[in-house]
Amino acid sequence: GHSLGASVASLLGVILKSRLGSRYPELLKDEGHILKVLAFACPPVLDYDSALACSSFTTSIINNSDIIPRMSIPNLLILMEYLKSVNRKLEEKRIRPKNLWSFFTFTKMLLCGKGDPIMTMEEVRSTWLEAYNTVEVKDPAYLYCPGKVIHMYDMWSKPEGSDRVAERLHLADGTSNVLRYIEITSRMTNDHLSDSYRKSIRDLEGIK
């Protein structure tokens, strides 16, 4: 399934495995041969333990910056912590917008690519890591993408405006740092579309 369909398929897979295991014991020993779930663009629907426990029969496929698999409470908390750090940097450099006019001026400067970066790449990395550490991964209130995760992605080092196609795979699970932050980009909704998933899969099939 895709998106909502993926979440339904994932939950149904868990139910079949747990409820029917006593009647069909081969399901309990199954390693994805009898019961297999392929979840494309699945939202976070399982807690930490359940998300990892279904990895023998569930595979989640995620395309680039797709926002739906990243829309979870812990990710919003991580993003808030990161933005707090960015806000402190803006205060230090005395460029934080104070009113509507300064906000529009600041936004225009960002869109035009003017000015020096407020953070180095190393500062960005360390700030994200600090934000990650503010959220307990195993908190039972938090949800994750189920099973094994295949993340299809392209390289951000490409020039702006170049053709964005998936060219690499990252194998992980739903707790991976790749999925623990929301990428605020113009692609985060387009990457969720089923057509975008089909294109990324075709692109990867063409790579030798």
Side-chain angles (χ1 to χ4, degrees):
H2 174 265
S3 194
L4 179 59
S7 62
V8 172
S10 299
L11 295 174
L12 182 58
V14 172
I15 292 171
L16 288 173
K17 186 85 168 181
S18 61
R19 298 289 177 86
L20 299 182
S22 57
R23 180 173 296 183
Y24 303 102
E26 61 270 22
L27 279 178
L28 295 177
K29 301 176 183 178
D30 181 35
E31 293 298 326
H33 301 295
I34 300 173
L35 176 64
K36 182 176 294 185
V37 177
L38 294 178
F40 296 86
C42 187
V45 292
L46 295 175
D47 62 24
Y48 177 87
D49 290 329
S50 300
L52 298 182
C54 67
S55 60
S56 65
F57 60 91
T58 300
T59 301
S60 294
I61 298 94
I62 297 171
N63 183 42
N64 275 308
S65 305
D66 187 353
I67 190 174
I68 298 303
R70 296 174 168 88
M71 284 301 292
S72 64
I73 292 175
N75 284 3
L76 290 174
L77 294 175
I78 288 170
L79 179 61
M80 287 176 60
E81 289 299 321
Y82 178 77
L83 292 177
K84 286 179 185 177
S85 298
V86 172
N87 186 61
R88 287 193 292 270
K89 280 290 183 181
L90 292 173
E91 287 281 12
E92 290 173 9
K93 296 179 180 290
R94 298 183 178 180
I95 56 176
R96 186 174 76 86
K98 302 291 185 182
N99 51 47
L100 188 61
W101 176 254
S102 62
F103 171 77
F104 283 126
T105 302
F106 180 72
T107 303
K108 183 178 179 181
M109 180 184 71
L110 291 178
L111 293 174
C112 293
K114 295 180 179 178
D116 297 325
I118 62 171
M119 300 170 72
T120 65
M121 286 305 299
E122 186 55 41
E123 286 176 323
V124 170
R125 292 190 191 96
S126 63
T127 302
W128 273 119
L129 287 174
E130 289 172 8
Y132 292 151
N133 292 332
T134 63
V135 174
E136 175 54 52
V137 177
K138 294 185 179 181
D139 190 318
Y142 298 153
L143 302 179
Y144 299 93
C145 292
K148 297 187 291 289
V149 169
I150 299 176
H151 181 220
M152 307 181 292
Y153 70 99
D154 61 3
M155 302 300 292
W156 282 100
S157 57
K158 287 182 178 178
E160 187 67 27
S162 61
D163 189 25
R164 315 297 304 199
V165 297
E167 54 191 10
R168 295 191 181 185
L169 295 175
H170 174 70
L171 305 179
D173 57 53
T175 66
S176 170
N177 282 350
V178 172
L179 301 178
R180 293 188 67 206
Y181 67 96
I182 298 172
E183 295 185 42
I184 308 298
T185 74
S186 59
R187 305 170 53 198
M188 61 187 186
T189 53
N190 285 338
D191 282 345
H192 179 68
L193 302 176
S194 55
D195 284 345
S196 296
Y197 271 78
R198 282 192 288 267
K199 185 177 186 305
S200 289
I201 291 171
R202 287 195 301 267
D203 291 336
L204 288 167
E205 285 177 341
I207 296 176
K208 303 299 183 183

